Amino acid sequence: MRTTEAAAIQPGLIREVAFELNRRAAIAIPRDVEGSISALAQRETQKLAKFVLLEIVNNYKIAVDDQRPMCADTGLPRFYAKVGNDARVEGGFVALERAVREGTAEATRKIPLRPNRVHPLTRKDYNNNVGIHAPTVDYSWEPGADWMDLTCFQKGGLFGGDYRMLFPGDGIPGIKRFYLDVISEFFKRGLSCQPAIVGVGIGGTKDVCVRLAKEAACLRVVGDRNPDPQVAKLEEELHGLGKKTSLGPMGFKGEGAVLDVHIEVAYTHTGGMPVSIHHQCFALRRATARIHADGNVDYRENPLWFTGYYRRETVS
Amino acid sequence: MTPGGTSDLPMDEHHLTTPVGPEDLGRLKIGDIVFLTGLVFTGRNGLYRKLFEEKAAPPADIPSLTNVTFHCSPAVGEKAPGVWEVAAVTATASFRFEKHVPMLMDQYGVRLVIGKGGMSPEVYEKHFKRLGAVFLNTVGYGIGARYGRGVKGVRSVHWLEELGIAQAMWVLEVEGFGPFLVECDSQGRSLYGLALGETNEELKPLYEGLPLPSLRRLGEVHNPEDEVF
C-alpha cells in the first residue's frame, strides 16, 4: 500500500495524449489484427476473397507509409480510461474530460479525421467530432496503481450489431443461432466490413450486455481467451463456426471472415439469458497509453481493459 | 458470357478516363477491376436531400464535369483557407440511396456509380440496364488510404457550410483511382447475385439443429437466405 499521495497527472498532458492516441489509432493497424489478416490472405484459395484480403493488407502499409488514415470513415472517436485507485488528475475528472474533448477536436482538424458526429435530428455538424454526450469516456478502476490508462477507439458503426433476449431454455444452440443470424445479416455484401472480430456479451442487463459485447470486440486482442475455461471453450466453438460460414471479405466465398470471437459474461436475471453481438471491422482503430503520475507516457497496442478486478472475478 | 461461378471470373483490369463513354461501360464485366482518372463527385443523403427533396438548384453543372459519382465523403484537411487536401476516402453503404440514384442518372447524366454493397437487383434491372450504367464496388471496404493516394486534388466543394464536411458535395480530381470491382455491368448482371448464391449454399447446413429463439420479434427475418435490405 502506498503511504504518500501520488503526484497529479496534468490536464495539458492528457490533451496531448488524447491527440496522439487519435493519430495512432487512425493510421497504424495494431499488429494482432495485421498479423491475423495477413495469415488469412496467405491461406485463402478463392480468387476474389484473396484479392480483397491482399488489398486490405496493402492498405495498412499505405496508411503508415503516407501517414494517412487507413479508412476515411474515422468513426466516432471515444475513450476508455482505466484509472488507478491512487491516481489523481490536476483539476479533477472534469479537467480530464475537457482535455479529451479538446484533444479530439484538434485531432479532427489536424490528422484529419472525418467529422462524423452530428445532431441526430437536425444533422448539424460542428466539424470537430464533439457534441452532446460525445465523445464518451468510459471509466474503470484498478486497485494499487497511481497511473491512468487511456485508450482511444474510433468506432464505425452503422452495421454489425444486434441484441436478442434469449432464455435459459434456448441454451447454447440459441446463442449459436443468433451468432449465425448476425453473420448472415451483416457479412453478406460485406456490410460489417469483415474480416471482423466478433464480441459477444452474455447476461447482465440489456445495457450491460450490449456494452460488454462492444468492449469484447474492441478492447481484447486477437488470440486472447476469456480466463473462464467454459467461456473460452465457447469462444473457440463460435470462432470455428464462423470460419465455416464461407462468408469471406465483402461477402465473397472464402474462409468465413471471423478473426476471433471474444465473449464476456455478467450475472443476469434468473429468468433470462440476454445476448448481444458486435462485429468490429478490419479497419480496427485503437491505441492505448499509460500516463504515469510522474508525467511519463508509455504507448502500446493492447488496451488490457479486462483485468481481474474489472471483471469482478472475486466477490471482494 | 455467363460465368459458372465467381472463381471463373477473369477479373480483367481497365484504366478509364472520365466521363466514361458508353463503349467503355459496355466492356466492363462483373468482377473486373477498374481504375479511374479524371473527375468524380461525391454524394450521399445530404446532397440528395438538397437536390431531390428541397429541389435546390444544383451548385455545379454536373453533366459538364463528369458522369461518375461516389457514395462517400473524405477525411480531408484544410491546409490553408479554402485549400483542401484529401487524406482518405471510403464508400458508405449504397442501398440507402436507391430512391435517389435513378434520379441522379436520369437528371444529371450519371452512368458510373461507386459505392459499398451494391444495390438491389430491381434497381439494376429497371435503371442500370436501361441506361447502360455500371455500379462499381470499392474493395474491402475500408481501404481509404489506398483511395486517398488516388485523389490528386479538390476541384471544388459545394454546400459545405450547410451540410458539413461529411455530407458536402466534393468534386475530386483523381488519377489511377482504384481498384474498384464491377458489381453491376451495363446489362444489369450482378456480382453479388452470383456470390450470394454460392455462400447461401454453404450457410444453410450450419443451421441444422439450431432452433428458432423462444421469443420472436415482429418483423424479424428468420430465413438466413434473406437479406436485410
Side-chain angles (χ1 to χ4, degrees):
Chain A
M1 294 301 286
R2 283 173 179 75
T3 49
T4 54
E5 199 169 69
I9 295 167
Q10 299 301 308
L13 179 62
I14 296 172
R15 180 189 159 136
E16 274 171 43
V17 171
F19 173 87
E20 179 60 16
L21 289 173
N22 263 304
R23 196 186 68 78
R24 287 175 185 240
I27 295 170
I29 191 72
R31 277 165 293 186
D32 59 300
V33 179
E34 205 274 346
S36 61
I37 294 190
S38 293
L40 181 56
Q42 291 310 311
R43 297 201 285 280
E44 185 56 67
T45 54
Q46 292 286 329
K47 198 170 159 183
L48 264 171
K50 195 177 184 82
F51 168 77
V52 176
L53 291 168
L54 290 171
E55 285 293 339
I56 289 170
V57 173
N58 185 33
N59 183 67
Y60 291 147
K61 187 176 179 305
I62 290 173
V64 172
D65 286 352
D66 291 8
Q67 289 291 293
R68 51 171 96 227
M70 67 180 91
C71 179
D73 182 349
T74 49
L76 300 177
R78 60 183 298 169
F79 290 87
Y80 294 89
K82 186 178 288 297
V83 184
N85 199 33
D86 303 320
R88 289 194 306 124
V89 176
E90 187 72 38
F93 286 88
V94 171
L96 177 148
E97 298 212 334
R98 190 177 298 129
V100 160
R101 291 169 82 81
E102 287 169 358
T104 299
E106 189 189 359
T108 303
R109 201 169 56 246
K110 288 188 181 163
I111 293 172
L113 305 177
R114 197 168 76 194
N116 284 320
R117 272 204 175 99
V118 301
H119 188 284
L121 295 174
T122 66
R123 315 308 292 179
K124 178 69 193 166
D125 191 340
Y126 287 99
N127 287 333
N128 62 6
N129 277 316
V130 172
I132 300 171
H133 281 296
T136 46
V137 185
D138 290 273
Y139 295 94
S140 69
W141 321 104
E142 196 60 19
D146 61 4
W147 42 255
M148 178 175 72
D149 278 356
L150 196 59
T151 294
C152 172
F153 204 99
Q154 293 162 0
K155 190 71 200 79
L158 303 185
F159 309 110
D162 209 346
Y163 167 85
R164 188 176 282 175
M165 177 50 102
L166 293 173
F167 296 92
D170 290 310
I172 301 289
I175 295 173
K176 285 184 179 167
R177 184 176 181 108
F178 181 35
Y179 170 78
L180 282 181
D181 281 346
V182 183
I183 287 179
S184 300
E185 285 165 353
F186 295 114
F187 272 25
K188 285 181 186 171
R189 297 175 186 262
L191 293 181
S192 281
C193 290
Q194 71 269 15
I197 298 177
V198 181
V200 184
I202 306 176
T205 50
K206 182 175 188 179
D207 56 335
V208 169
C209 185
V210 172
R211 173 170 62 77
L212 286 177
K214 180 171 278 195
E215 291 180 2
C218 300
L219 301 176
R220 286 174 54 191
V221 299
V222 175
D224 181 46
R225 290 274 76 88
N226 190 292
D228 179 334
Q230 208 183 341
V231 176
K233 184 170 159 276
L234 187 57
E235 289 179 336
E236 277 163 17
E237 267 182 60
L238 292 183
H239 189 196
L241 185 58
K243 287 187 191 181
K244 282 191 206 156
T245 59
S246 95
L247 279 160
M250 291 179 77
F252 296 137
K253 185 177 176 176
E255 182 177 315
V258 176
L259 293 180
D260 207 349
V261 176
H262 295 140
I263 302 176
E264 291 298 325
V265 297
Y267 272 44
T268 194
H269 190 286
T270 183
M273 186 177 63
V275 179
S276 172
I277 293 184
H278 191 90
H279 293 169
Q280 169 54 45
C281 70
F282 66 78
L284 185 142
R285 276 73 55 90
R286 69 162 141 70
T288 299
R290 178 159 296 179
I291 308 173
H292 296 276
D294 63 7
N296 281 320
V297 180
D298 295 319
Y299 288 95
R300 64 174 196 263
E301 292 181 343
N302 189 342
L304 300 172
W305 176 251
F306 285 94
T307 59
Y309 178 75
Y310 180 53
R311 287 192 178 107
R312 306 296 196 273
E313 283 170 355
T314 55
V315 174
S316 62
Chain B
M1 183 202 69
T2 310
T6 55
S7 55
D8 302 316
L9 296 168
M11 296 179 73
D12 292 332
E13 196 171 307
H14 306 263
H15 293 259
L16 307 176
T17 52
T18 72
V20 183
E23 278 184 20
D24 280 337
L25 291 171
R27 267 196 290 275
L28 302 177
K29 307 175 297 300
I30 58 168
D32 280 359
I33 297 161
V34 176
F35 292 86
L36 294 168
T37 295
L39 293 177
V40 168
F41 76 96
T42 71
R44 51 196 300 176
N45 48 302
L47 178 72
Y48 301 152
R49 191 180 71 228
K50 292 288 291 179
L51 284 179
F52 302 119
E53 283 163 34
E54 296 173 17
K55 307 217 185 298
D61 181 17
I62 294 171
S64 76
L65 290 170
T66 181
N67 62 354
V68 186
T69 195
F70 193 167
H71 294 149
C72 77
S73 43
V76 62
E78 196 171 17
K79 294 292 145 190
V83 181
W84 297 93
E85 196 174 285
V86 171
V89 265
T90 19
T92 193
S94 301
F95 72 88
R96 298 170 289 165
F97 312 133
E98 291 196 344
K99 184 175 150 197
H100 294 126
V101 162
M103 294 168 159
L104 209 54
M105 299 200 290
D106 279 325
Q107 296 173 34
Y108 296 98
V110 167
R111 292 293 178 269
L112 199 52
V113 179
I114 310 172
K116 171 180 174 181
M119 299 183 124
S120 66
E122 294 75 31
V123 172
Y124 292 157
E125 182 64 29
K126 200 170 163 197
H127 300 288
F128 281 75
K129 193 174 167 182
R130 170 173 61 88
L131 297 166
V134 169
F135 189 101
L136 300 177
N137 264 329
T138 49
V139 173
Y141 291 90
I143 61 163
R146 165 106 189 207
Y147 294 129
R149 252 191 194 178
V151 179
K152 298 303 166 190
V154 173
R155 172 69 62 92
S156 56
V157 54
H158 307 281
W159 284 328
L160 179 63
E161 200 59 36
E162 287 169 78
L163 298 176
I165 287 172
Q167 294 285 343
M169 171 179 161
W170 297 85
V171 182
L172 306 176
E173 297 164 350
V174 300
E175 198 180 306
F177 187 44
F180 304 112
L181 279 170
V182 177
E183 145 62 12
C184 166
D185 67 16
S186 59
Q187 303 301 307
R189 284 181 288 240
S190 160
L191 177 58
Y192 272 130
L194 200 59
L196 285 162
E198 293 175 348
T199 52
N200 276 343
E201 214 169 288
E202 310 263 343
L203 208 50
K204 222 172 167 179
L206 299 180
Y207 274 83
E208 273 170 32
L210 301 180
L212 288 172
S214 31
L215 180 73
R216 315 285 168 84
R217 288 185 298 197
L218 291 180
E220 193 168 338
V221 166
H222 283 296
N223 180 0
E225 290 185 27
D226 287 346
E227 288 199 74
V228 290
F229 73 86

